[in-house]
Amino acid sequence: MSDNQGATAFFTMLDTLRLHLLEDPNINTCTYGDLAQIDLSNQTIFPLAHLVPNTATVDPTGQTITFNVSVILMDIVDVSKEKETDIFYGITNEQFILNTMLAIGNKLFNRFKGGDLRLEGYQANGSLNAQPFYQRFENQLAGWNCTFDLTFQNDIYIC
């Protein structure tokens, strides 16, 4: 270990999110960091959850750290080969993807807000802000960029 022995809040936050996302049967892969560095042409990784930490704020007492994090939930849009399609739902599974990915983000947020993860000492603050995206990237992905704040105990103590 380096000079930051014992400083694990960042890793705890990432691991907690990753583990709980991968528990969901609708997520195959969880990745981290710059989305441009992920091979999105690899169709076997979808549905995908991607973690992007945005900010970290240490409270004035130094007891907690609040992370603002984006969880990008996405899947590949499939186009129906049938000639007759529903005028409302169209010829893709885009609405199904949006429904499923939002449900995953909502469930994850609520586990921190008042569910089992809050009981473990992790807490979501405020609201879940979810922004949809449609047929992005080279393989036509759809999903949600879910952003929220998570508070964890600060494991750096001043003696």
Side-chain angles (χ1 to χ4, degrees):
M1 262 196 198
S2 66
D3 292 343
N4 295 325
Q5 291 179 350
T8 62
F10 182 73
F11 289 116
T12 300
M13 181 267 301
L14 289 177
D15 287 341
T16 301
L17 286 168
R18 180 179 58 88
L19 291 172
H20 289 281
L21 284 162
L22 290 174
E23 284 179 356
D24 193 295
N26 293 302
I27 294 295
N28 282 352
T29 309
C30 186
T31 57
Y32 158 81
D34 182 359
L35 192 55
Q37 301 300 315
I38 306 301
D39 180 9
L40 297 178
S41 65
N42 179 356
Q43 295 190 3
T44 63
I45 66 174
F46 295 99
L48 173 72
H50 183 75
L51 305 177
V52 180
N54 299 313
T55 61
T57 304
V58 178
D59 81 59
T61 68
Q63 294 180 354
T64 62
I65 298 177
T66 299
F67 296 97
N68 177 271
V69 63
S70 293
V71 179
I72 306 169
L73 302 162
M74 65 190 99
D75 202 356
I76 298 172
V77 175
D78 290 325
V79 178
S80 173
K81 292 179 177 50
E82 295 181 24
K83 293 184 181 188
E84 288 190 36
T85 59
D86 185 283
I87 195 163
F88 182 76
Y89 291 107
I91 61 171
T92 71
N93 65 339
E94 183 178 272
Q95 291 178 0
F96 175 79
I97 290 170
L98 291 173
N99 180 69
T100 302
M101 296 299 115
L102 182 58
I104 293 167
N106 186 14
K107 183 171 74 173
L108 179 68
F109 177 76
N110 281 307
R111 289 180 77 182
F112 282 102
K113 191 71 175 175
D116 59 327
L117 291 175
R118 182 177 172 113
L119 295 174
E120 292 179 30
Y122 313 127
Q123 180 177 344
N125 304 314
S127 301
L128 170 71
N129 180 358
Q131 181 176 13
F133 57 90
Y134 312 92
Q135 299 185 13
R136 282 178 48 189
F137 309 106
E138 68 274 2
N139 50 352
Q140 303 298 303
L141 302 176
W144 293 88
N145 182 1
C146 300
T147 303
F148 51 94
D149 291 337
L150 294 175
T151 300
F152 286 75
Q153 290 299 310
N154 188 355
D155 54 0
I156 300 289
Y157 299 102
I158 306 264
C159 298

